[in-house]
Amino acid sequence: MLFSVPNSDGMGPFVYAVVQTFHPALHLMPRPLNRAALKRDLLALLRNNGTQAFRPKELAKYLSLGKGREPFRLFRDVLSELEEAGLVQKVKGNRYQHRKQRKGAFAEGTLTMHPSGYGFVNLDRTDADDDLFVRANRLRNALHGDRVRVALAAPVRGRHDRKQEAEVVEVLRRGRAHTVGTFDKMGHFAFVKADDPKQTKDIYVPKEHFNGAEQGDKVVVSIDHYEDPKGSPEGRILSVLGRPDDPGVAVLSVALAQGIRSDFPPAVEAEAQAIPVEIPMKEIARRLDLRDAMIFTIDPEDAKDFDDAISIERLDSGDFRLGVHIADVSHYVHENTELDREAFERGTSTYLVDRVIPMLPERLSNGVCSLRPHEDKLTYSCLMTVSARGKIRDWEIRETVIHSKARLTYEEAQQILDGGIQDHQVKDEVLLAGKLARTLTRKRLREGSIDFDTPEVRIVLNDAGTPIDIVRKERIEANRLIEECMLLANRCVSMEIGKVSKSKRKPFVYRIHATPDTERILALARYVKAFGYRLPVTDGTVTRKDLNDLLEHVRGTAEAAVIKVEALRSMSKAVYSTENIGHYGLGFDFYSHFTSPIRRFPDLIAHRLLKRYLAGGSAVEGEGLQIACRHLSDQERVAVDAERESKKLKQVEYAAQHLGEEYDGVVMGVTKFGVFVEIQDLLVEGLVHVRDMDDYFEYDPENYRLVGQHTRTVYRMGDSVRVKIAAADVASRKIDLVFAG
């Protein structure tokens, strides 16, 4: 079995999940009192016994609650909760049975809390148009990030502008076992106020679990129990991070608050240390030996985890022979080891503003697996023949051994492309790769791939971790060179699986991107119409060409930034799945992630499955693989959130150093309570409150603008404005602005 997915409590699969009838041999030892586990087990017991009904005492006996009034009282409370939630029903003779659910009445998804106390549930169903809205009084004991089961309310007829409502009926799995916050001591107990505003409940900590924490410390606190929605979750202080004014502590707190795992457990580090650096000659002998080939890497200047290397040559036919050589992590990280389990839980490396929290221990990520120059390394290579016009003629995927001849930074590669470096060992290869990449980019865009080209910032820190400058990162041709090579390899790998699966479907991990939701596309069309642009929409769909034409038309205009952001928001999220529906944004029918197994677990799975299938192995179990895909998609979002929040923290810190200073900005959002402005130099948003404007403004939602009642001053999306930084709150990561002059 390729994947085992334990229950949230870390135990193995629940015994009743495979039992269809009761038997005295199922009687277990008395269980400890745990409301969540009891609820899960009771529901599973009834669900797996169809329409059979049982008296409460029978159920208690089969669940081995033990003797005494307290266990049975808890059991009756849980039974009542399940009945109230509509998951079980009471029938004649004071008996209970599983309640058959009307199709479409219930759904499962992940809860995202809003700081104001309500939440949204992102559904797993592919036919779901949007998130579900859950009012604060219908959340039960669910917390941010939890996987929940919800009952759907009837939609309001004629109100397409309102989200469908739902009620949480069951917490299936806690999203987080811990959080980060500030320790507030209150005598014989304390509360931890979570840093994440979406974690709306303070955590109660009894004195015996303070673990040395002092008033005001930043701490990691567990979330052990939370059953009563009227009370607080209870936990223990797991570790004290330090004082909140320490820059390093602040960034780490942001990451941990998002659910990132930082330190590796000792058992994981021990396994990593036991892996030898030397490659046995027997292993080299069974692989395709490419050590004499002119292979090189191009990476950021501060990178240490070199996932990929490339090679390229021009054939006599005029075609290109492009090799993409990827670190063979699957050779070192085996299934069902401590390393494997920890990497799966992390899902990805997290790139914070001041550090990298790797998916694998540094001995592997920066050492054994990393394709460092002038060292023999084990790789998994995709060797492709590409025509001069960018058409893929053929490919092969081989286990290889390489010896990288050079390590280039993106800036060095760009100098070669620009002619600034005339004498370099791999100059000819870089120029050849640049020529092919330009062809591939033109071909991809011509065939409908959408190019948003979103800007990024680089925050310059001093040795103390304080931001001293913010600069806009340029996306240079050397970046595109590597991107195009990786895109091509990822396509070929997924097409290879398509060939292998023709006779019998073999589950794989695809990177999919669904067609945009109809309502969002219609909203985008209305939005751009307010700026004088037209986005053709037919039957609620839009072509990639029309989207690209729109982005090209607005390029260089004042409203370009806001239209690009709104277009991005209208897109579906790319996720991992065993169901291949293609990648809408890239315009590919087949796509997967193969090229970064040091820092992405889906790529590691892809390597394992490729090796298995190409060797003639049997298909893996699809349901378990899909569960893994869902987890890895979730972890990707967690990492992205942590990376974004760590940058935002430093942006706000930088803004706090420049109170009263003026900047150019663009209006990115207009609401009835103010105008959101993105400061162009910092790429961070602040709010100009209506209370700080020198007129009484009315909100015009149809045209996305505020209109001054007396002066007739208009602020609308895309306007260029001059603003002054009035306040910057690092704790909440919010910036208040006022219009200059």
Side-chain angles (χ1 to χ4, degrees):
M1 185 173 180
L2 190 67
F3 302 101
S4 59
V5 183
N7 291 331
S8 58
D9 56 7
M11 300 174 63
F14 176 50
V15 65
Y16 291 108
V18 293
V19 177
Q20 300 303 317
T21 58
F22 291 136
H23 190 278
L26 290 178
H27 291 179
L28 307 174
M29 294 294 291
R31 66 172 65 240
L33 294 181
N34 182 308
R35 181 184 292 263
L38 178 57
K39 183 184 293 185
R40 182 194 67 226
D41 293 356
L42 175 56
L43 183 60
L45 188 152
L46 289 170
R47 184 186 290 133
N48 285 283
N49 282 275
T51 59
Q52 194 171 355
F54 304 91
R55 292 188 178 90
K57 286 189 177 180
E58 288 180 303
L59 294 170
K61 182 179 180 182
Y62 287 122
L63 289 170
S64 303
L65 292 180
K67 298 179 180 179
R69 301 174 70 179
E70 182 62 21
F72 193 71
R73 186 185 64 79
L74 176 63
F75 165 77
R76 291 307 299 254
D77 285 348
V78 167
L79 188 60
S80 296
E81 287 180 17
L82 291 175
E83 184 182 10
E84 182 185 346
L87 299 175
V88 303
Q89 62 184 359
K90 190 176 181 179
V91 296
K92 187 177 179 181
N94 193 34
R95 294 171 181 267
Y96 289 83
Q97 65 181 183
H98 181 249
R99 183 174 183 177
K100 188 176 180 180
Q101 309 301 336
R102 176 174 57 83
K103 187 176 181 181
F106 291 83
E108 295 181 6
T110 303
L111 176 68
T112 298
M113 288 296 297
H114 188 277
S116 298
Y118 53 85
F120 299 93
V121 174
N122 179 260
L123 298 180
D124 300 328
R125 300 196 323 242
T126 55
D127 62 339
D129 288 340
D130 216 335
D131 297 342
L132 301 173
F133 175 72
V134 186
R135 297 179 186 274
N137 62 349
R138 293 179 179 172
L139 286 163
R140 292 186 181 268
N141 62 327
L143 297 170
H144 175 65
D146 285 353
R147 184 163 181 75
V148 296
R149 182 176 172 82
V150 295
L152 306 183
V156 180
R157 180 179 292 177
R159 290 300 304 272
H160 300 296
D161 59 328
R162 291 179 59 177
K163 290 181 180 290
Q164 186 175 3
E165 293 196 27
E167 177 182 6
V168 174
V169 296
E170 184 183 2
V171 175
L172 301 174
R173 185 176 68 248
R174 288 292 180 202
R176 294 184 185 174
H178 64 266
T179 190
V180 176
T182 303
F183 185 77
D184 188 9
K185 186 177 179 182
M186 298 181 177
H188 293 287
F189 64 91
F191 282 97
V192 175
K193 182 174 179 57
D195 287 352
D196 186 353
K198 295 177 182 176
Q199 183 64 261
T200 57
K201 297 282 187 177
D202 294 346
I203 309 348
Y204 169 82
V205 181
K207 185 177 181 179
E208 61 268 25
H209 295 310
F210 283 4
N211 197 19
E214 298 291 343
Q215 178 66 27
D217 280 348
K218 284 290 181 189
V219 297
V220 181
V221 60
S222 64
I223 302 175
D224 296 333
H225 309 290
Y226 180 43
E227 307 302 336
D228 183 2
K230 297 178 182 177
S232 296
E234 183 175 334
R236 299 159 288 123
I237 302 302
L238 300 177
S239 63
V240 178
L241 299 177
R243 302 306 297 174
D245 54 355
D246 183 322
V249 168
V251 173
L252 183 59
S253 297
V254 166
L256 297 179
Q258 297 294 329
I260 299 298
R261 300 158 75 102
S262 57
D263 297 333
F264 287 95
V268 174
E269 289 284 10
E271 279 191 2
Q273 291 300 320
I275 294 175
V277 177
E278 296 78 15
I279 304 172
M281 289 304 300
K282 183 178 179 182
E283 182 62 31
I284 292 176
R286 76 173 194 85
R287 291 174 176 254
L288 177 63
D289 193 338
L290 299 177
R291 287 178 293 178
D292 291 336
M294 190 60 73
I295 294 173
F296 57 97
T297 62
I298 304 177
D299 289 281
E301 185 177 2
D302 56 353
K304 297 178 182 177
D305 52 346
F306 307 143
D307 282 287
D308 55 86
I310 64 171
S311 59
I312 190 168
E313 60 178 322
R314 198 71 180 260
L315 304 178
D316 293 339
S317 62
D319 293 340
F320 296 90
R321 185 63 168 171
L322 173 66
V324 173
H325 315 280
I326 308 302
D328 192 358
V329 178
S330 63
H331 176 81
Y332 298 102
V333 180
H334 301 148
E335 295 174 36
N336 299 317
T337 60
E338 294 297 326
L339 266 171
D340 181 52
R341 283 187 281 270
E342 180 68 17
F344 173 73
E345 285 301 320
R346 293 176 181 235
T348 180
S349 295
T350 304
Y351 293 82
L352 304 176
V353 68
D354 65 346
R355 75 196 77 183
V356 177
I357 298 179
M359 182 182 79
L360 297 169
E362 286 191 11
R363 177 176 170 78
L364 293 178
S365 60
N366 295 354
V368 174
C369 297
S370 184
L371 306 184
R372 299 187 298 196
H374 315 303
E375 296 180 14
D376 289 353
K377 292 291 181 179
L378 298 181
T379 46
Y380 204 21
S381 300
C382 186
L383 306 167
M384 299 160 281
T385 303
V386 187
S387 76
R389 294 188 176 184
K391 181 182 178 180
I392 305 170
R393 296 201 186 278
D394 60 52
W395 66 84
E396 60 174 333
I397 302 167
R398 299 284 300 273
E399 291 177 277
T400 54
V401 57
I402 69 166
H403 188 96
S404 174
K405 301 298 188 292
R407 183 268 201 238
L408 296 174
T409 66
Y410 282 118
E411 290 73 20
E412 289 170 336
Q414 189 62 49
Q415 285 184 294
I416 293 175
L417 292 171
D418 292 340
I421 296 179
Q422 296 293 332
D423 183 20
H424 196 286
Q425 186 180 10
V426 294
K427 185 193 82 168
D428 293 343
E429 286 74 15
V430 171
L431 292 174
L432 199 58
K435 180 180 179 64
L436 175 60
R438 287 189 290 274
T439 299
L440 292 172
T441 300
R442 287 194 298 269
K443 181 175 184 292
R444 183 166 55 80
L445 295 178
R446 188 171 60 249
E447 294 175 352
S449 185
I450 303 171
D451 188 18
F452 286 105
D453 196 17
T454 52
E456 291 186 47
V457 298
R458 183 171 66 88
I459 300 171
V460 182
L461 306 176
N462 63 17
D463 292 341
T466 302
I468 56 175
D469 197 8
I470 297 179
V471 296
R472 190 180 291 257
K473 287 171 66 174
E474 286 188 48
R475 191 156 169 255
I476 54 180
E477 186 184 353
N479 295 109
R480 280 199 182 271
L481 185 160
I482 293 298
E483 287 171 11
E484 293 296 344
C485 292
M486 299 307 118
L487 286 172
L488 205 64
N490 287 335
R491 285 186 71 188
C492 289
V493 163
S494 56
M495 288 191 290
E496 179 71 23
I497 291 298
K499 288 187 348 186
V500 170
S501 299
K502 274 188 177 178
S503 57
K504 182 180 179 182
R505 184 181 179 280
K506 294 191 174 182
F508 193 65
V509 176
Y510 295 97
R511 181 67 169 178
I512 64 170
H513 186 220
T515 302
D517 170 65
T518 296
E519 288 298 320
R520 291 181 181 178
I521 285 298
L522 290 173
L524 176 62
R526 290 192 297 269
Y527 182 83
V528 300
K529 186 178 180 180
F531 294 92
Y533 297 99
R534 180 176 175 269
L535 179 64
V537 178
T538 305
D539 297 327
T541 62
V542 63
T543 67
R544 289 185 295 268
K545 181 181 183 303
D546 286 334
L547 271 174
N548 265 336
D549 286 346
L550 172 66
L551 295 173
E552 185 60 36
H553 287 158
V554 303
R555 192 185 304 275
T557 65
E559 60 270 15
V562 292
I563 288 179
K564 188 180 292 186
V565 167
E566 202 63 26
L568 272 170
R569 287 174 179 165
S570 72
M571 296 292 104
S572 303
K573 292 184 177 70
V575 296
Y576 298 106
S577 177
T578 57
E579 297 298 325
N580 180 37
I581 63 171
H583 197 293
Y584 176 83
L586 290 172
F588 298 158
D589 293 331
F590 289 89
Y591 193 65
S592 64
H593 274 170
F594 166 81
T595 55
S596 297
I598 290 178
R599 61 183 180 89
R600 288 191 309 228
F601 201 86
D603 303 55
L604 176 54
I605 297 177
H607 283 216
R608 289 172 175 171
L609 291 176
L610 275 167
K611 289 183 179 181
R612 179 184 182 124
Y613 294 158
L614 293 179
S618 60
V620 299
E621 191 268 314
E623 185 177 353
L625 185 57
Q626 180 58 29
I627 292 172
C629 286
R630 190 181 302 133
H631 165 76
L632 294 168
S633 296
D634 289 343
Q635 289 305 109
E636 178 186 38
R637 285 192 289 271
V638 168
V640 168
D641 288 345
E643 292 164 15
R644 182 175 57 244
E645 289 300 312
S646 76
K647 283 186 177 179
K648 192 173 181 181
L649 172 72
K650 294 301 177 184
Q651 287 170 315
V652 177
E653 283 183 13
Y654 186 80
Q657 301 169 19
H658 297 272
L659 297 180
E661 295 185 16
E662 295 183 8
Y663 292 90
D664 290 325
V666 174
V667 175
M668 300 297 289
V670 177
T671 69
K672 58 186 176 183
F673 52 83
V675 173
F676 286 98
V677 176
E678 181 181 85
I679 297 175
Q680 291 181 295
D681 289 344
L682 309 184
L683 284 183
V684 65
E685 276 190 0
L687 175 65
V688 181
H689 294 268
V690 289
R691 64 173 180 263
D692 295 324
M693 299 181 189
D694 56 359
D695 195 352
Y696 179 80
F697 281 82
E698 292 181 340
Y699 179 48
D700 177 7
E702 292 294 321
N703 295 296
Y704 308 97
R705 62 182 188 171
L706 284 174
V707 181
Q709 194 174 54
H710 303 295
T711 64
R712 307 311 295 172
T713 300
V714 175
Y715 293 112
R716 72 164 196 163
M717 305 275 273
D719 281 352
S720 296
V721 293
R722 186 77 174 168
V723 292
K724 183 187 298 184
I725 299 177
D729 184 3
V730 175
S732 64
R733 295 192 279 285
K734 292 182 179 178
I735 297 174
D736 288 338
L737 307 171
V738 294
F739 289 122

